[in-house]
């Protein structure tokens, strides 16, 4: 049986709710991707061009530091990777996460929450960070309060 990790970054708690539902449905292990410097409400003000999140998202080289690591990444076969959509893509801390491990031979499945944006170019951008030997399933945007039945249906459609 495949070992599953549900790794997620959640600035406001919405993605955390969805990550918990995916964990409940899959029976996988849950890992919160925590920034070394937590985001404040002011940091997340996308209307402020000088807010931390705006500056990070406008800098393609931005790689916010992560405070915690997955200690046993080698044991996982499937990684569900969750995040909120910021500026139609994944936050740059997700790039940091993907660059921190070798995903060769693993399957990565992105999932996202958003107030209204879809996945945009997220899949194509994130997929280039991983090894060519990484299995990749198309990402899906869902609501934070998605039902377990809906999540189960999505996971079954992936044919893992």
């Amino acid at each position: 049986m495949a070992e599953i990790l549900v790794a997620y970054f959640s600035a406001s708690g919405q993605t955390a709710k969805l990550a918990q539902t995916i964990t409940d449905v899959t029976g996988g292990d849950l890992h919160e991707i925590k920034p070394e410097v937590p985001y404040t409400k002011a940091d997340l003000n996308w209307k402020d061009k000088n807010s931390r999140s705006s500056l990070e998202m406008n800098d393609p080289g931005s790689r916010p530091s992560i405070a915690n690591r997955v200690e046993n990444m080698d044991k996982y076969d499937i990684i569900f990777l969750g995040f909120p959509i910021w500026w139609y893509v994944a936050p740059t801390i997700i790039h940091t996460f993907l660059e921190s491990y070798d995903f060769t031979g693993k399957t990565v499945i992105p999932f996202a929450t958003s107030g209204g944006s879809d996945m945009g170019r997220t899949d194509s951008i994130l997929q280039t960070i991983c090894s060519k030997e990484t299995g990749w399933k198309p990402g899906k945007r869902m609501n934070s309060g998605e039902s377990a039945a809906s999540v189960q249906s999505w996971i079954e459609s992936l044919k893992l």
Side-chain angles (χ1 to χ4, degrees):
M1 181 164 218
E3 291 286 334
I4 296 173
L5 175 67
V6 180
Y8 72 94
F9 165 68
S10 186
S12 67
Q14 296 306 304
T15 305
K17 292 177 191 174
L18 179 57
Q20 184 62 60
T21 303
I22 293 171
T23 301
D24 293 345
V25 168
T26 63
D29 295 334
L30 186 65
H31 174 79
E32 181 180 3
I33 300 166
K34 296 179 183 177
E36 198 168 87
V37 177
Y39 289 89
T40 66
K41 188 174 181 175
D43 289 338
L44 299 172
N45 182 358
W46 59 272
K47 293 179 183 178
D48 177 359
K49 289 181 172 37
N50 292 311
S51 72
R52 177 177 164 199
S53 60
S54 295
L55 294 172
E56 288 175 359
M57 296 307 290
N58 284 316
D59 176 3
S62 174
R63 297 296 184 269
S65 296
I66 296 174
N68 57 334
R69 289 189 51 83
V70 176
E71 295 301 324
N72 49 355
M73 183 61 90
D74 289 346
K75 87 173 204 175
Y76 296 105
D77 306 299
I78 298 169
I79 294 90
F80 285 89
L81 180 59
F83 45 86
I85 295 292
W86 287 2
W87 291 263
Y88 305 101
V89 293
T92 55
I93 195 167
I94 297 302
H95 296 223
T96 307
F97 180 81
L98 288 173
E99 291 169 353
S100 298
Y101 304 96
D102 180 4
F103 292 95
T104 301
K106 300 179 184 303
T107 299
V108 177
I109 307 158
F111 66 93
T113 57
S114 173
S117 302
D118 62 15
M119 293 290 284
R121 304 177 335 264
T122 305
D123 275 335
S124 60
I125 292 168
L126 295 182
Q127 195 171 3
T128 63
I129 297 172
C130 292
S131 155
K132 291 187 183 340
E133 290 79 35
T134 301
W136 192 270
K137 297 286 185 178
K140 181 167 177 72
R141 185 190 72 78
M142 294 179 271
N143 295 319
S144 60
E146 204 77 36
S147 71
S150 176
V151 168
Q152 179 71 40
S153 177
W154 169 59
I155 291 170
E156 288 171 3
S157 78
L158 296 171
K159 298 179 180 14
L160 299 173

